[in-house]
Amino acid sequence: MDYAKRAKRLEPERAFSMLERISTMVAAGRNIISFHIGEPDFATPENIKTAACSSIHANRTHYSPPSGVPELRIAIADYMSKTRGMQISPEQVVVSAGTKLAIFCAIMSCVESGADVLGPVPTYPAYPSIVNMIGANYVPIPLIETDSGFRMDLDRLANAVTPNASMIVLNSPHNPTGALLPREDLERIAEIATEHDLWVLSDEIYSRLVYDGSFASILSLPGMADRTIVVDGFSKAYAMTGWRLGFAVVNRTLAGLLDTFMANVHSCTATFTQYAGIEALTGPQYEVEKMRLKFVKRRDLIVTELNSIPGFRCHLPAGAFYAFPNVTEACRIAGLPDADRLQDDLLERAGVAVLSMTAFNAQRDPEADQYVRISYATGEREILEGTRRIRDFMSARVGLRFHRD
Ligand SMILES: Cc1ncc(COP(=O)(O)O)c(C=O)c1O
């Protein structure tokens, strides 16, 4: 017996393997501050939980249509029409068990094996993993650190388009840098996509978590509606990571293909969860705003604390809940070769879990600038304690090096 090559091309996600590593350490009595996972620590709002329980009691526990229950598709179409400033019809909406499944089915439906998919690096790792699995090529477009934060290198994007190119992947606000794509960048990307007849997969899962500037979707730009696949979901804005509820907004032809995909892959998303999704979108929104305001406070706190650690330099991210400090100098003064080693030492010696840039498909290259991702989807007490531990670790390393030198 052998295994299909495509299965071996899928990559595990480091955030989840780190979770296992931490569980083993915690079971052995270690105390770990977790800055590694992108999951709000808030409870799902009560009105959403009540709607799910009522749905179960009303026996909404059977199969539903593969693209989702009509009421949820209507609620999503209304929400998208309002927030993206254009008319979206329910027939353009396909519900899925999490945004990740929508990403998977969209890439499977639109990209041939052998084609090029152009996307950011560092990046949410599911895009390259899925692209590689289907035998296509993920062409990395670097995000460049500027004085005001991270920007996609649009000249590199334009030059990377070959006759093989099939799709551009965007993610704004961005995981792991927290950067927001400005409107002028979206306009240039739209021009490139139109000129070369490319799909645009726009992952907008953090669009409700914007702190500076305003969110813009490439979907709303003239002529982009047919070629844009927006994926979004309930995990981050409503603290619903474990519910597995996401969606895609696409042209009607692709909606039909995705419907068949969903029917084959999982028949449908859990029916009572979908009714909870209707409550999330149409019920009171103050909990979402409350969480967003807490994220702003946490962001400001963590960036201030990180910038006070020797060798750490951190921009104020515009959205999502990640800080992505430059730790090149920290590695140098601590005598560590790269961010991977810093990640491991912070976990083992300081009891703080962060993720190195290589968890986001950046090459392991000690000559390049080094970064780690720090999630601030955690309480202010943990932020203060975690950054104190990192500062103590750095001070001890620097002392040790001076001592040795
Ligand atoms: C950019 C991005 N897209 C998609 C997802 C997956 O979301 P979901 O929980 O809805 O599958 C994540 C989760 O971390 C993410 O960061």
Side-chain angles (χ1 to χ4, degrees):
M1 281 194 312
D2 204 357
Y3 300 95
K5 288 191 188 64
R6 77 176 78 85
K8 296 179 195 159
R9 287 197 294 262
L10 275 175
E11 294 283 341
E13 199 171 315
R14 182 106 56 93
F16 288 105
S17 25
M18 182 64 104
L19 209 54
E20 276 178 38
R21 205 168 148 190
I22 293 169
S23 305
T24 314
M25 292 174 80
V26 170
R30 292 287 307 274
N31 174 282
I32 306 293
I33 299 286
S34 284
F35 286 152
H36 72 289
I37 193 100
E39 154 155 271
D41 59 331
F42 304 116
T44 305
E46 285 304 318
N47 61 316
I48 301 174
K49 291 194 278 194
T50 306
C53 294
S54 307
S55 294
I56 292 174
H57 290 302
N59 295 317
R60 288 166 169 159
T61 50
H62 299 102
Y63 289 133
S64 48
S67 287
V69 296
E71 303 93 304
L72 178 57
R73 293 175 76 194
I74 291 168
I76 293 171
D78 284 351
Y79 162 74
M80 290 296 289
S81 302
K82 271 191 215 115
T83 53
R84 273 54 171 190
M86 60 191 299
Q87 197 50 44
I88 309 278
S89 90
E91 289 75 42
Q92 292 175 259
V93 175
V94 180
V95 176
S96 60
T99 309
K100 206 181 239 176
L101 183 61
I103 296 168
F104 182 84
C105 293
I107 293 175
M108 293 282 277
S109 301
C110 299
V111 178
E112 293 285 4
S113 56
D116 288 350
V117 173
L118 286 60
V121 164
T123 181
Y124 177 55
Y127 319 130
S129 181
I130 296 165
V131 166
N132 291 338
M133 185 206 69
I134 64 166
N137 318 303
Y138 190 86
V139 180
I141 309 300
L143 273 118
I144 314 240
E145 191 183 4
T146 69
D147 288 344
S148 56
F150 291 85
R151 287 288 281 270
M152 201 173 199
D153 186 340
L154 297 186
D155 292 333
R156 274 286 278 278
L157 176 69
N159 292 331
V161 179
T162 66
N164 250 359
S166 156
M167 178 183 273
I168 298 172
V169 175
L170 303 179
N171 172 214
S172 174
H174 178 247
N175 176 6
T177 64
L180 198 59
L181 270 166
R183 200 180 165 86
E184 69 260 31
D185 286 9
L186 292 175
E187 283 167 355
R188 171 113 192 262
I189 296 165
E191 268 171 35
I192 297 169
T194 308
E195 184 187 338
H196 299 280
D197 198 19
L198 306 176
W199 289 104
V200 175
L201 175 68
S202 181
D203 184 341
E204 302 180 1
I205 192 165
Y206 296 103
S207 58
R208 302 283 291 272
L209 299 175
V210 173
Y211 318 120
D212 295 324
S214 53
F215 168 76
S217 173
I218 198 163
L219 177 71
S220 351
L221 297 187
M224 290 304 291
D226 262 7
R227 63 177 71 256
T228 302
I229 301 159
V230 171
V231 290
D232 198 343
F234 295 72
S235 289
K236 315 290 176 174
Y238 295 98
M240 289 176 71
T241 44
W243 294 67
R244 312 310 304 131
L245 191 59
F247 57 88
V249 172
V250 296
N251 72 42
R252 285 167 202 246
T253 310
L254 183 52
L257 294 174
L258 290 181
D259 182 85
T260 310
F261 236 106
M262 295 301 165
N264 280 274
V265 169
H266 71 163
S267 299
C268 65
T269 302
T271 305
F272 51 88
T273 303
Q274 295 188 55
Y275 282 93
I278 298 170
E279 173 61 24
L281 286 177
T282 60
Q285 300 296 302
Y286 56 80
E287 289 289 346
V288 179
E289 184 55 10
K290 233 165 82 185
M291 291 191 264
R292 195 188 71 83
L293 292 174
K294 283 202 173 141
F295 282 132
V296 180
K297 267 183 87 179
R298 292 169 175 193
R299 173 196 70 156
D300 293 350
L301 177 65
I302 203 156
V303 169
T304 306
E305 292 298 317
L306 288 172
N307 278 325
S308 75
I309 298 174
F312 278 63
R313 185 163 52 75
C314 189
H315 291 284
L316 201 61
F321 35 58
Y322 308 111
F324 200 60
N326 186 319
V327 293
T328 315
E329 185 60 9
C331 291
R332 193 190 66 74
I333 60 182
L336 300 172
D338 57 23
D340 277 14
R341 209 18 228 290
L342 181 65
Q343 169 204 282
D344 288 346
D345 275 21
L346 285 178
L347 181 63
E348 299 294 338
R349 295 170 197 272
V352 181
V354 304
L355 288 179
S356 152
M357 64 201 227
T358 57
F360 306 97
N361 293 71
Q363 290 284 327
R364 189 170 188 177
D365 175 5
E367 300 304 314
D369 270 353
Q370 304 294 309
Y371 298 90
V372 293
R373 188 191 79 172
I374 301 196
S375 163
Y376 52 89
T378 187
E380 285 175 39
R381 215 148 27 99
E382 285 78 11
I383 289 174
L384 286 172
E385 171 62 13
T387 48
R388 184 194 63 74
R389 289 184 190 184
I390 299 176
R391 193 178 302 107
D392 287 354
F393 166 83
M394 284 302 299
S395 305
R397 290 294 305 193
V398 173
L400 202 68
R401 269 183 63 76
F402 281 138
H403 186 66
R404 253 202 268 122
D405 293 351

